[in-house]
Amino acid sequence: MNQQTTKTRLNREQSQALTRERLLQAGRKLFVQNGFGGASIREIAEAAGYSQGAFYSNFVDKDAILLELLRAHMETEAAQLAAVFASAELSGEEVLAALDAWADTLHADANWTMLSIELQLHASRSPAFAAAYEAVWKTHRSALGHVIERLFAHLALVPPAEPEQLAAGFMALAHGLGLQGTAVHPAPAGKMIMLFLRGLIAAAETAVK
């Protein structure tokens, strides 16, 4: 019996999404290798296998790629943390164990640490980018604050400070340790975050019912 091979064709939306993703990954690789300033739009397009016209059909400039990479990373991180509370049946220790498991993966990607440096440097040099960069950070801080609020409520404890303030502190700790780490000596960001978190939990007051 003859077998007929069919090729699945992407529709317009799928094709554009694939083009966009390839450009993002090409930009990520070149930013890490050459720095933000050392990667041109032409090089990004060529590395992804497209023309500069395809680049401008998806992104206004290199800043847009850098911001999208930051946004995607932070959305993934927030989703992973929120997933810890997917089951209300988990005990307090089970929740903390799940957070420990997540923390072990923090900064496992050395390339993301390098990209974080590029993000920080570019934000310090471009006021327009800095404003957009801060907006993404505020959104992430709010999401993490919600996770912290849920954690303390799950443990029937009162947070020692506003959840978003705690989120900002943990973000600063993770970011700072990440920048200090190297491929040879990775930063223990996740371990330190959990150490501080457990300390805050141990000192927290019981919520009044």
Side-chain angles (χ1 to χ4, degrees), residues 66-173:
L66 202 56
L67 280 173
E68 185 60 29
L69 289 170
L70 174 66
R71 187 179 296 109
H73 179 84
M74 291 188 165
E75 286 178 354
T76 298
E77 185 175 275
Q80 290 171 341
L81 287 170
V84 172
F85 298 91
S87 175
E89 303 301 320
L90 292 178
S91 68
E93 276 307 313
E94 287 173 329
V95 168
L96 289 174
L99 288 174
D100 280 329
W102 166 81
D104 285 341
T105 68
L106 197 63
H107 294 316
D109 183 0
N111 285 342
W112 176 252
T113 299
M114 293 298 297
L115 196 59
S116 295
I117 295 173
E118 291 302 322
L119 281 158
Q120 192 71 28
L121 287 173
H122 191 51
S124 69
R125 296 165 178 163
S126 169
F129 181 81
Y133 177 77
E134 178 62 20
V136 175
W137 272 88
K138 283 183 178 179
T139 298
H140 190 54
R141 185 172 64 233
S142 177
L144 292 188
H146 182 60
V147 170
I148 291 172
E149 185 176 24
R150 290 180 66 185
L151 172 62
F152 277 84
H154 188 83
L155 299 174
L157 297 173
V158 178
E162 289 296 323
E164 281 202 29
Q165 292 178 339
L166 294 176
F170 286 129
M171 288 168 68
L173 177 61

Side-chain angles (χ1 to χ4, degrees), residues 10-20 50 58:
L10 301 177
N11 60 35
R12 184 174 181 178
E13 290 76 15
Q14 292 171 325
S15 179
Q16 184 171 14
L18 179 60
T19 299
R20 186 180 180 85
Y50 300 108
N58 289 274

